[in-house]
């Protein structure tokens, strides 16, 4: 049995946690979100690296973590080298699924929907040149939809007018994308709403690929047999009234308790 830490700024990492836990149910899960520094997509690169490295290192030491999943593209596209230098265990990142999208598109036009941080990163631009050469990749960075995904998870209605406003230029016209990369882990939580506005468009995320990578690392590097009795708990960096309201939705995702990290 392994202790697996899944980390994000907020609720988006649940879309990754869901895939990993479905594939690998017999392990202990720690879902940690840095809501005190949310949204990560608006943080400077230096602030993000510092916040994320300090918190993840603390969680790893405190809970004898065997493997970390940075279930946040905004953090993964910049903080993985620092995290890997600070930790001795495997660290799996989540990056925008440009590679599979490039094989799926029929009209050669891909939309990358991510955070402002992710669309501005050199890492992302490199992914595009490497895996989608000759294709049109349209970039859109939005924090508004990250916040909508948080609202949805907390049981509030999604603002469809806002969603439509953000996606408008991809919904009409000749050169609209036929494939959308959900390059922020919050966006698969809005799958149904995005599908409603962009019917026929293929939505691609990284959940499956990350779960496969974790399974491979557990079998080859961590090498711990699984067990029948498992625990899954959530941790945040600020347990205020807003965060407390997440206790019930998190329980619905199989996370039995929500605590504040003291570090
Ligand atoms: N879920 C995150 C991502 O994948 C970050 C959202 C945010 O905090 O801006 O990029």
């Amino acid at each position: 049995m392994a202790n697996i830490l899944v980390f994000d700024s907020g609720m988006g990492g649940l879309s990754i946690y869901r895939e990993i836990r479905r594939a690998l149910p017999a392990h202990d899960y720690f879902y940690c979100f840095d809501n005190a520094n949310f949204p990560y997509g608006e943080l400077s690169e230096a602030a993000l690296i510092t916040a994320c490295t300090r918190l993840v290192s603390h969680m790893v030491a405190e809970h004898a973590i065997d493997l970390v999943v940075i279930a946040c593209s905004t953090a993964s596209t910049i903080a993985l080298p620092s995290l890997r230098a600070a930790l001795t265990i495997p660290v799996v990142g989540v990056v925008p699924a440009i590679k599979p999208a490039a094989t799926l598109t029929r009209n050669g036009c891909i939309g990358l929907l991510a955070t402002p941080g992710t669309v501005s990163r050199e890492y992302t631009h490199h992914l595009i040149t490497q895996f989608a050469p000759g294709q049109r990749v349209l970039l859109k960075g939005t924090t508004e939809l990250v916040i909508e995904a948080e609202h949805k998870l907390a049981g509030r209605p999604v603002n469809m007018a806002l969603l439509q406003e953000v996606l408008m230029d991809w919904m009409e016209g000749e050169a609209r994308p036929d494939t959308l990369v959900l390059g922020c882990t919050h966006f698969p939580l809005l799958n149904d709403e995005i599908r409603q506005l962009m019917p026929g468009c293929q939505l691609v995320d990284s959940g499956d690929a990350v779960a496969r990578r974790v399974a491979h690392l557990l079998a080859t590097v961590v090498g711990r047999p699984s067990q029948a009795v498992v625990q899954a708990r959530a941790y945040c960096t600020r347990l205020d009234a807003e965060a407390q309201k997440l206790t019930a939705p998190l329980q619905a995702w199989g996370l039995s308790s929500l605590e504040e990290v003291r570090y």
Side-chain angles (χ1 to χ4, degrees):
M1 190 236 6
N3 288 343
I4 301 174
L5 173 66
V6 180
F7 175 79
D8 185 29
S9 59
M11 299 294 99
L14 290 175
S15 68
I16 300 291
Y17 159 75
R18 172 177 57 196
E19 299 302 319
I20 304 171
R21 201 173 170 189
R22 187 159 34 213
L24 302 156
H27 295 281
D28 280 350
Y29 285 90
F30 298 76
Y31 184 79
C32 176
F33 58 102
D34 188 8
N35 57 331
N37 289 305
F38 173 90
Y40 270 12
E42 304 282 339
L43 286 190
S44 74
E45 295 188 349
L48 200 161
I49 292 170
T50 306
C52 167
T53 310
R54 188 171 155 245
L55 175 55
V56 171
S57 304
H58 170 84
M59 286 296 292
V60 167
E62 187 75 11
H63 300 284
I65 298 295
D66 298 298
L67 181 146
V68 179
V69 180
I70 303 300
C72 171
S73 307
T74 313
S76 297
T77 49
I78 192 72
L80 285 180
S82 313
L83 283 161
R84 288 182 174 138
L87 301 167
T88 53
I89 55 171
V91 180
V92 178
V94 174
V95 296
I98 297 290
K99 193 178 174 184
T103 63
L104 289 170
T105 181
R106 294 280 158 260
N107 71 355
C109 184
I110 298 167
L112 169 61
L113 191 64
T115 64
T118 298
V119 298
S120 71
R121 301 256 197 274
E122 215 172 289
Y123 186 98
T124 306
H125 299 150
H126 181 69
L127 272 184
I128 295 170
T129 348
Q130 192 181 2
F131 295 117
Q135 291 177 339
R136 258 182 93 216
V137 182
L138 310 173
L139 308 180
K140 203 181 279 287
T142 164
T143 293
E144 288 148 304
L145 297 196
V146 174
I147 293 168
E148 283 308 307
E150 291 279 318
H151 287 173
K152 181 177 177 188
L153 200 112
R156 286 154 67 179
V158 174
N159 182 343
M160 289 302 286
L162 175 69
L163 203 61
Q164 183 163 356
E165 203 177 297
V166 172
L167 295 175
M168 188 62 91
D169 55 328
W170 288 356
M171 289 165 53
E172 49 197 33
E174 276 302 291
R176 61 177 180 268
D178 69 349
T179 306
L180 215 64
V181 176
L182 303 181
C184 164
T185 55
H186 277 75
F187 299 156
L189 302 176
L190 297 174
N191 248 325
D192 294 346
E193 290 77 5
I194 296 171
R195 243 182 249 291
Q196 220 173 297
L197 294 175
M198 302 188 67
C201 188
Q202 316 182 76
L203 305 183
V204 192
D205 65 55
S206 310
D208 259 10
V210 172
R212 281 198 303 273
R213 178 82 189 132
V214 171
H216 172 76
L217 286 169
L218 286 183
T220 56
V221 182
V222 179
R224 301 262 183 103
S226 56
Q227 64 165 26
V229 181
V230 296
Q231 316 180 51
R233 291 186 295 241
Y235 297 82
C236 63
T237 46
R238 184 162 55 209
L239 191 54
D240 54 12
E242 222 21 56
Q244 262 159 4
K245 288 189 205 147
L246 295 169
T247 307
L250 287 168
Q251 277 169 355
W253 284 69
L255 293 152
S256 60
S257 59
L258 175 61
E259 280 171 43
E260 184 171 299
V261 186
R262 307 259 168 223
Y263 70 120

